[in-house]
Amino acid sequence: MSRTVTALFREDFYLSTCEASVTAILEDGGIELDQTCFYATSGGQPGDTGFFEREDGSRIPIVDTRHGATKDVIVHVPADGQAPLKFGEKLVLHIDWPRRYRLMRMHTACHLLSVVCPYPVTGAAVGEEESRVDFDMSHTIDKDEVTAALMELVEANHPVYVQWITDEELAANPGIVKSKNVRPPVGMGRVSLVCIGEDSSVDSQPCGGTHVSETQEVGAIHIAKIEKKGKENRRFRIRFGTAEDRAAL
């Protein structure tokens, strides 16, 4: 039977290791724990990878993290051929921090893009090297101008933080949701708002992903391409570095 897990990453995006106990081993090998710092695939952000350290020092590589039947269930997927764990076994969890940090930077960059391009979001995918955000818009826009506006927000070093609101508060303020097709998960009693700028002066939107604490941590980014995907849909591709850096590769 699946058990609710304490998702430590929701309170601390920078927590890269923690202790946990095994609460369930699924038929497909998936591992459930009493608590975890591993982010589960959701909202366009991939699940964490890393490894579990056993008491004897051996390691169980984790190749993916996903949700179970509900959002309050998190399943850790081990690499094939691993020694079986036991119910109640104590572990030390280690996420692949360099990968997670790149995803945090990228996810924050996607939020900044939604500020520069204030249109309904129709889709998004966060990646380690490139992310995409789709907007419900029909006109053309210059990618260099968008890049300049993004970097202005990055270099201003606005604080990024989370505030919590109740499901009822979200229902009473539907306008804060930028996504056109996907609604924030409700049913757990509260929803996290990712806020950028003092007193949310830059942005505030529901999101359960992980983000950096200051926009300057995003680093150099640029819009590599803007694609037309239908009559009223534009896909923006964000990449790390400058366009000049990429061209020199």
Side-chain angles (χ1 to χ4, degrees), residues 4 6 27 33 49 111 126 146 191 193 205:
T4 299
T6 300
E27 290 185 4
L33 306 168
T49 60
H111 281 244
V126 181
V146 176
V191 177
L193 291 182
Q205 58 180 295

Side-chain angles (χ1 to χ4, degrees), residues 66-239:
R66 57 180 172 79
H67 284 290
T70 62
K71 287 287 186 179
D72 57 1
V73 176
I74 295 177
V75 179
H76 308 79
V77 182
D80 293 337
Q82 301 303 306
L85 295 173
K86 299 177 181 179
F87 177 83
E89 183 172 348
K90 296 186 181 303
L91 305 165
V92 179
L93 282 52
H94 303 265
I95 67 172
D96 181 340
W97 175 250
R99 176 179 180 272
R100 157 73 89 79
Y101 189 55
R102 289 181 73 84
L103 292 171
M104 288 167 59
R105 291 166 58 204
M106 269 294 198
H107 202 152
T108 306
C110 291
H111 281 244
L112 295 178
L113 179 57
S114 73
V115 174
V116 174
C117 298
Y119 306 98
V121 176
T122 57
V126 181
E128 295 176 62
E129 299 298 332
E130 178 183 283
S131 295
R132 68 167 176 83
V133 182
D134 299 346
F135 293 100
D136 183 1
M137 56 184 291
S138 57
H139 63 281
T140 59
I141 190 169
D142 183 78
K143 63 184 178 67
D144 293 335
E145 291 181 3
V146 176
T147 294
L150 279 172
M151 287 308 302
E152 184 175 340
L153 289 172
V154 168
E155 292 167 356
N157 205 24
H158 296 289
V160 183
Y161 56 96
V162 169
Q163 289 184 334
W164 293 92
I165 61 172
T166 64
D167 291 352
E168 292 72 23
E169 288 173 319
L170 176 62
N173 295 277
I176 63 176
V177 180
K178 294 188 177 183
S179 176
K180 185 176 181 180
N181 301 326
V182 180
R183 309 304 294 177
V186 296
M188 292 186 287
R190 63 176 189 166
V191 177
S192 61
L193 291 182
V194 174
C195 305
I196 303 176
E198 298 291 346
D199 299 320
S200 307
S201 58
V202 176
D203 191 36
S204 175
Q205 58 180 295
C207 181
T210 61
H211 305 82
V212 294
S213 62
E214 298 173 321
T215 58
Q216 198 171 68
E217 290 183 63
V218 171
I221 51 173
H222 68 282
I223 301 300
K225 186 184 297 184
I226 301 176
E227 302 168 306
K228 184 177 181 180
K229 296 290 183 179
K231 185 177 180 181
E232 296 183 352
N233 198 64
R234 297 293 183 273
R235 175 167 294 173
F236 289 65
R237 296 193 178 275
I238 312 173
R239 292 177 183 168

Side-chain angles (χ1 to χ4, degrees), residues 33-49:
L33 306 168
D34 61 341
Q35 63 178 16
T36 184
C37 54
F38 278 60
Y39 178 82
T41 301
S42 184
Q45 180 175 330
D48 280 328
T49 60

Side-chain angles (χ1 to χ4, degrees), residues 15-26:
L15 184 65
S16 63
T17 185
C18 71
E19 296 181 351
S21 297
V22 177
T23 56
I25 304 293
L26 308 183

